[in-house]
Amino acid sequence: MKIFLLTLVTLFSIEQISACSMYKITLNGKTVVGCNEDAWRTTPHIWFENATSPGTYGSAFTGSRFDGSNGYAPQSGMNEFGLCYSRLASHAPDNNGSITQNKKIITNPTMYLKDILHTCKTVDEVEAYISAYDHSFFLEDVMIYIEPSGKYLVVEPYTTTIGYDANYVLSNFCPSVTDQNEAMRIDRYRKGVEFLNHKTETSLEFCTALSDTMHVCREKIGDGTLLTSIWDLENGDIHLYFYHQYNDVQKFNIHDELAKGDHSLELAGIFPANEDFEKLRDYKIPQNSMVMMMFLMISGLLFFFTAFFFLIRYFRTRKKTEYNPVQLMLFPLGVIMFFYMFILCTNMYIFYFPSPYVDPQNQLITASSYLPYLLLLCIIPLFIFTRKIHMQKAWGGFSRWLFTVNTMAYFVLVGLFVYWGFLF
């Protein structure tokens, strides 16, 4: 049973990658980096890790995805020498002849990312470190490393690029294969570029306003920007803003915090109560509720089994059994709803964007967003037929109860669809 459940969870659970944005400003010898982590997770943290051996460096990280014994996966960070890092989701680029053979294999991505800040002082050292590995492991990520001089390294799955621009903005694309017109279609990137084209400063007030300008706001469930961090690479200061509240700030200094020893802080516990965040935390979907996930998986298997059971039964009993058209109707409905259960278990975005959900890359997922309305139209006839078949004992015992359980699962789904805002 454990192996079976683990297989189901592996099949249905596909992690959604956060969309994020960042900028770096270098002016008068000072470099400041701002990072927006845009995610629906409810566990944002900042933590500090001291050097563990000679030749390694203490570092601070922020992130929200828990990775078991590795702790939280770093979304951004900075070490005690001012080397800063940010990770952003991106579409996987084509491999244009990049050589990945004879490279080290990344077996623990969380520790790999931490180790870079723990062992490197400059972006040149980062480039040398990364070049030894097959970093196409991060096929849907683009990363950037910035040193206090303002020099930076952009790391894509198949290439790395050194840059010296005083102002630099990056979001969810690989710069080497994305032209400026295409990049400007991303709102948070375009807003950052336009903001910096108007004026440039490195003051906290200016950077806070820029981070606010680039943050993501989604109308259905609060705000997409979970955590904003502003890193002063010269002084080691870190300013944090939690869940799109830019009036409340928490300040840390990496040297002071490392002197306290290794420690971690959950942002929800160090900021004032945030009504929008509480709404997000209370909102349950399959990806944050094992009960919902198991219900959808079991329901999907039930619908699939029911569809073929009643299809076979239809051809075997079509001249003997009353309500045969009902059996035939259950086949397409069951197959379609099995497919929809798979989509709901593997696509987190559906639950957070307005309904009907539009997937810009998959028309089939877009079309599936209308299935809750189809089920709503079918639910009353299903109840009527369920009642009649039971009262008249028109089918055998197992068939009647299988049909009843199937109908009850559909009824519960309609309630969930209402809760998730799929119908109203």
Side-chain angles (χ1 to χ4, degrees):
M1 179 59 69
K2 289 182 179 179
I3 294 174
F4 174 70
L5 292 176
L6 179 61
T7 302
L8 288 179
V9 171
T10 303
L11 171 66
F12 281 88
S13 299
I14 297 176
E15 180 187 355
Q16 301 293 333
I17 304 174
S18 307
C20 302
S21 60
M22 64 77 58
Y23 60 86
K24 82 98 184 175
I25 303 170
T26 302
L27 183 66
N28 298 325
K30 180 179 181 179
T31 297
V32 178
V33 176
C35 305
N36 281 344
E37 180 180 353
D38 305 331
W40 293 289
R41 303 186 192 100
T42 57
T43 54
H45 281 70
I46 181 171
W47 67 98
F48 302 87
E49 299 180 0
N50 276 282
T52 57
S53 61
T56 60
Y57 319 118
S59 303
F61 301 96
T62 65
S64 60
R65 182 177 66 83
F66 186 64
D67 188 24
S69 61
N70 296 314
Y72 284 87
Q75 189 75 26
S76 59
M78 179 177 69
N79 68 19
E80 57 187 308
F81 286 94
L83 179 66
C84 192
Y85 147 87
S86 184
R87 177 182 183 180
L88 309 99
S90 175
H91 295 301
D94 294 329
N95 182 358
N96 296 318
S98 175
I99 299 175
T100 59
Q101 295 178 348
N102 301 321
K103 300 278 189 176
K104 295 180 183 179
I105 304 300
I106 299 172
T107 57
N108 189 325
T110 294
M111 298 308 297
Y112 165 84
L113 293 174
K114 289 181 181 182
D115 286 345
I116 293 176
L117 287 193
H118 281 310
T119 58
C120 299
K121 289 184 182 180
T122 67
V123 295
D124 289 330
E125 292 181 6
V126 174
E127 186 174 37
Y129 187 102
I130 289 173
S131 66
Y133 288 85
D134 176 13
H135 54 89
S136 65
F137 176 93
F138 298 99
L139 192 58
E140 295 184 337
D141 287 298
V142 58
M143 304 181 196
I144 184 168
Y145 295 84
I146 311 103
E147 62 182 49
S149 69
K151 184 178 178 181
Y152 58 89
L153 172 71
V154 178
V155 181
E156 301 176 30
Y158 299 112
T159 187
T160 59
T161 306
I162 292 284
Y164 300 89
D165 300 292
N167 297 336
Y168 191 75
V169 180
L170 185 60
S171 187
N172 307 110
F173 60 89
C174 289
S176 68
V177 294
T178 307
D179 62 40
Q180 186 67 2
N181 290 333
E182 184 177 351
M184 291 292 276
R185 296 177 184 174
I186 302 176
D187 286 345
R188 48 194 171 275
Y189 174 79
R190 185 185 68 255
K191 290 176 180 178
V193 170
E194 292 174 347
F195 195 97
L196 286 172
N197 284 341
H198 177 68
K199 187 180 180 182
T200 299
E201 292 182 15
T202 55
S203 67
L204 178 62
E205 293 75 17
F206 180 85
C207 292
T208 300
L210 175 54
S211 296
D212 189 0
T213 298
M214 294 176 65
H215 91 271
V216 178
C217 185
R218 302 183 177 108
E219 61 181 273
K220 185 175 178 181
I221 298 293
D223 187 348
T225 298
L226 178 64
L227 162 65
T228 295
S229 54
I230 298 175
W231 311 79
D232 184 334
L233 276 54
E234 180 182 17
N235 299 316
D237 291 331
I238 309 162
H239 292 87
L240 296 184
Y241 300 87
F242 175 53
Y243 210 67
H244 72 274
Q245 279 291 347
Y246 291 95
N247 294 324
D248 299 314
V249 60
Q250 292 288 338
K251 179 183 177 181
F252 303 89
N253 181 274
I254 187 171
H255 307 291
D256 295 341
E257 296 301 321
L258 289 174
K260 300 176 184 177
D262 293 1
H263 60 287
S264 176
L265 298 169
E266 184 176 5
L267 266 61
I270 62 175
F271 279 89
N274 186 307
E275 183 177 346
D276 284 343
F277 180 72
E278 294 302 322
K279 181 180 178 183
L280 174 72
R281 186 155 56 183
D282 293 341
Y283 183 60
K284 299 303 179 183
I285 63 173
Q287 286 75 15
N288 64 28
S289 170
M290 182 56 69
V291 173
M292 284 186 176
M293 177 66 79
M294 293 305 299
F295 173 75
L296 292 187
M297 290 193 296
I298 293 172
S299 294
L301 295 176
L302 171 67
F303 301 151
F304 188 80
F305 173 77
T306 300
F308 284 94
F309 175 85
F310 282 110
L311 178 65
I312 294 171
R313 190 174 187 275
Y314 168 78
F315 287 108
R316 293 179 61 184
T317 65
R318 63 183 181 275
K319 296 180 180 180
K320 308 175 186 178
T321 303
E322 199 174 358
Y323 301 111
N324 254 335
V326 176
Q327 296 187 102
L328 194 60
M329 179 191 72
L330 289 174
F331 174 71
L333 183 61
V335 172
I336 289 172
M337 293 308 296
F338 167 78
F339 169 70
Y340 193 50
M341 295 304 97
F342 179 82
I343 290 177
L344 293 181
C345 287
T346 57
N347 194 316
M348 183 185 295
Y349 300 110
I350 292 174
F351 300 94
Y352 291 99
F353 285 94
S355 182
Y357 173 72
V358 176
D359 189 315
Q361 298 178 329
N362 193 319
Q363 295 302 316
L364 192 59
I365 292 179
T366 298
S368 73
S369 297
Y370 294 89
L371 292 179
Y373 297 97
L374 171 65
L375 184 59
L376 184 63
L377 291 174
C378 294
I379 198 65
I380 293 179
L382 284 171
F383 263 107
I384 292 174
F385 285 124
T386 300
R387 182 173 180 273
K388 288 183 176 181
I389 290 170
H390 263 281
M391 291 184 65
Q392 299 173 18
K393 296 185 178 180
W395 296 350
F398 178 78
S399 300
R400 292 201 310 271
W401 284 109
L402 179 61
F403 184 33
T404 301
V405 172
N406 197 76
T407 301
M408 293 305 298
Y410 283 140
F411 179 76
V412 174
L413 274 178
V414 169
L416 288 174
F417 292 159
V418 172
Y419 169 71
W420 289 324
F422 291 177
L423 291 170
F424 306 107

